Amino acid sequence: MSKLLNNWGISMGSNKNLENSNNMTNINGHVVVFVLFSLQFLIILDSIMISPLMIGVMNDFNINNTKYIGWLIVGYGIASGATALISGPLYDNFGKKKTLILGASIFILSQLCCALSPNYKCLFLSRGLTGVGAGITLVCIVPYVLDFFTYKYKKIGLMIGIITSAIYLCCVFGIPLSTYVSDKYSWRYGFGIVSLSTLVVLILAIFYLKEIKTSTDASTRKINSIINDFKILVSRKRILFFSINWFFLLGTNSVVMIFFSQWLSKQYGYSITEIGHVFVISGLVSFLNSIFFGYLGDKVDKRKSVIMLYIINTLAFFFYGYSPSIIFIDVMMLTIIMASSSARFSLLYSIGGEMVEAERRGSFFALQHIFAQFGVGLGPFIVGYLLSYYNFLETNNGYREVLLGSGLLLILSLFLFAISTNKNLFNEESSDNKFAVEQ
């Protein structure tokens, strides 16, 4: 990764636009990117690998009802979303590096608890603790990128693109790796490997990440003023619409992941391993796409690029809803949908960082995370209801409704994004920077 950045002429350690430049001029920016990329990768890897590992969990704990496995996912999501209420203000007011370290430490402990769980109840509680650690860490990663390199840095889009590409790299390695570990050894090894790997990254974070001070002295702020940060953000229509947009985005994404897995299994009789291979192809394209569009976003209008990707994504859903059931078309549509989503996410994070002052950036991303987790949690319920309503497992009916419904949700998401990023509709300005989406 360091070589890749050097090829693009990036020398982050000496960037004059860094905040607190006196304290940061000796920091190797390549290591910072590697640490944040690795944290993002390991946390998303944990959430992706949970499904294959659950087969071994059900066998070891003699669980016959799959609803108990679903509760492990729901418990994780609730804990992650709820934790964002405190992780954002913690990041903004009590130390950016400290909050990241806290989140990663809780995540490591929770993974160890998962690996050593003697029964289902202990595993359930451990997954809830995992959600707490993941919620704190994920909320802090992108704001730290923005605060370290600053939104004025001309290649901030590339930095965010690299960090967020970790999400899609997990699709390449997550399912195959967890399936192999579960089959070859035990589901406990999966959690153990993630725990040890995160510990290595945590050590690097302790030595290479530095505290970043904002213009506000956090030690002088009271709890009431911290709570008011959320009130202030929600009172800004632009911020509120932009945050709600993530509910529909992540809800649609979870629908895609769940629906495609069931569709490939039912329509073509694919095994879990074969389904994993399909996601490997789409994940690899999305990984590269995230970096490329992050790089491209630094050179073109971000807002127009996101709108274009929305349109491509929506048309893919509608086209797929009326296309014949051919495996080549299925893989191609999944790849287009995931690739356009990955490119859009890297640009959205960049745009979001420019919408709010540095003192409330953590709370702003926490607000997005809360809406996103609600979307991730609600998506599976909607898919399950629709497929059950149309008796999908027996008749194959319902797939078109799921796809067309996803397309309609994206149109609503596009509408929210368009109005929230139209600076002519609102007179709101943050305290230290104007909205600067259009370059």
Side-chain angles (χ1 to χ4, degrees):
M1 184 175 294
S2 175
K3 183 178 179 181
L4 172 65
L5 298 177
N6 281 325
N7 288 339
W8 276 320
I10 300 174
S11 180
M12 292 172 283
S14 59
N15 181 18
K16 295 181 180 180
N17 287 327
L18 292 177
E19 293 180 349
N20 307 307
S21 58
N22 292 336
N23 297 324
M24 293 188 176
T25 51
N26 294 324
I27 298 176
N28 190 330
H30 300 155
V31 179
V32 172
V33 171
F34 174 78
V35 167
L36 299 177
F37 175 91
S38 300
L39 285 174
Q40 181 102 307
F41 175 82
L42 290 165
I43 291 174
I44 301 300
L45 177 64
D46 164 75
S47 63
I48 287 180
M49 74 178 189
I50 191 69
S51 295
L53 293 183
M54 285 306 98
I55 298 175
V57 171
M58 294 178 70
N59 293 333
D60 280 7
F61 294 154
N62 296 317
I63 299 174
N64 297 320
N65 196 328
T66 55
K67 74 176 182 181
Y68 292 107
I69 300 303
W71 277 112
L72 293 176
I73 300 173
V74 172
Y76 172 95
I78 292 175
S80 179
T83 304
L85 289 170
I86 61 171
S87 60
L90 277 176
Y91 176 88
D92 288 330
N93 298 282
F94 299 107
K96 305 177 189 308
K97 175 185 175 180
K98 291 176 184 176
T99 308
L100 258 174
I101 297 300
L102 173 65
S105 300
I106 295 174
F107 181 76
I108 292 170
L109 176 63
S110 69
Q111 291 291 289
L112 187 60
C113 290
C114 287
L116 300 176
S117 295
N119 52 51
Y120 174 82
K121 290 183 180 179
C122 289
L123 181 61
F124 178 78
L125 293 175
S126 298
R127 290 306 297 169
L129 186 62
T130 302
V132 172
I136 294 175
T137 310
L138 289 177
V139 164
C140 298
I141 289 176
V142 173
Y144 192 93
V145 176
L146 292 163
D147 288 330
F148 185 88
F149 298 109
T150 79
Y151 69 88
K152 297 177 182 179
Y153 182 48
K154 64 180 181 180
K155 292 184 178 177
I156 188 64
L158 174 60
M159 299 299 99
I160 295 177
I162 292 173
I163 302 298
T164 57
S165 69
I167 299 172
Y168 300 94
L169 192 62
C170 288
C171 294
V172 178
F173 294 108
I175 293 180
L177 178 62
S178 56
T179 302
Y180 172 79
V181 170
S182 182
D183 291 343
K184 188 75 174 177
Y185 302 101
S186 165
W187 59 271
R188 299 179 186 276
Y189 280 80
F191 294 117
I193 291 172
V194 172
S195 179
L196 290 175
S197 301
T198 310
L199 178 60
V200 173
V201 178
L202 176 62
I203 293 172
L204 288 174
I206 291 173
F207 284 102
Y208 284 96
L209 298 189
K210 300 296 180 182
E211 279 295 356
I212 305 172
K213 296 180 181 179
T214 56
S215 58
T216 301
D217 184 3
S219 63
T220 65
R221 303 193 70 194
K222 298 180 179 180
I223 296 297
N224 288 339
S225 65
I226 295 170
I227 294 175
N228 284 336
D229 283 348
F230 278 114
K231 293 181 180 179
I232 292 172
L233 291 173
V234 172
S235 68
R236 299 177 186 172
K237 294 184 178 66
R238 173 190 297 158
I239 296 295
L240 181 61
F241 291 155
F242 190 85
S243 300
I244 295 175
N245 166 56
W246 284 91
F247 170 82
F248 297 103
L249 273 182
L250 270 294
T252 304
N253 258 33
S254 66
V255 167
V256 170
M257 299 294 287
I258 294 171
F259 168 76
F260 271 102
S261 297
Q262 294 194 32
W263 173 251
L264 293 173
S265 175
K266 180 66 175 65
Q267 184 69 12
Y268 303 107
Y270 275 25
S271 65
I272 293 178
T273 301
E274 290 171 323
I275 293 173
H277 292 160
V278 173
F279 278 98
V280 164
I281 297 172
S282 302
L284 184 59
V285 174
S286 300
F287 165 71
L288 297 173
N289 220 33
S290 178
I291 297 176
F292 173 73
F293 270 85
Y295 170 74
L296 189 65
D298 292 321
K299 300 182 176 297
V300 299
D301 189 302
K302 294 184 180 71
R303 184 173 185 270
K304 291 180 180 178
S305 299
V306 170
I307 291 175
M308 177 193 70
L309 291 166
Y310 261 114
I311 294 173
I312 293 173
N313 209 173
T314 304
L315 290 177
F317 273 114
F318 287 137
F319 175 80
Y320 190 26
Y322 289 94
S323 64
S325 298
I326 303 173
I327 185 60
F328 172 76
I329 294 180
D330 286 339
V331 175
M332 181 177 67
M333 288 295 102
L334 174 61
T335 302
I336 291 175
I337 289 171
M338 287 186 62
S340 55
S341 296
S342 66
R344 185 174 62 234
F345 284 150
S346 62
L347 295 174
L348 282 172
Y349 281 128
S350 242
I351 292 173
E354 298 167 359
M355 294 180 70
V356 69
E357 61 272 23
E359 288 80 2
R360 295 191 178 97
R361 192 170 283 151
S363 297
F364 174 50
F365 278 90
L367 190 64
Q368 294 180 46
H369 183 76
I370 292 170
F371 280 106
Q373 287 302 315
F374 273 117
V376 170
L378 191 59
F381 284 102
I382 294 176
V383 174
Y385 172 79
L386 286 175
L387 297 184
S388 175
Y389 179 82
Y390 289 102
N391 197 18
F392 170 75
L393 294 178
E394 299 295 332
T395 65
N396 275 3
N397 293 328
Y399 77 93
R400 180 171 294 168
E401 286 75 11
V402 170
L403 292 169
L404 296 183
S406 298
L408 291 175
L409 287 178
L410 277 180
I411 291 176
L412 181 56
S413 179
L414 171 58
F415 172 74
L416 289 170
F417 169 77
I419 62 174
S420 67
T421 54
N422 188 334
K423 58 184 178 181
N424 295 321
L425 290 180
F426 304 100
N427 294 320
E428 305 162 341
E429 287 188 6
S430 61
S431 63
D432 68 344
N433 64 282
K434 294 183 179 180
F435 180 64
V437 168
E438 296 183 12
Q439 304 298 317

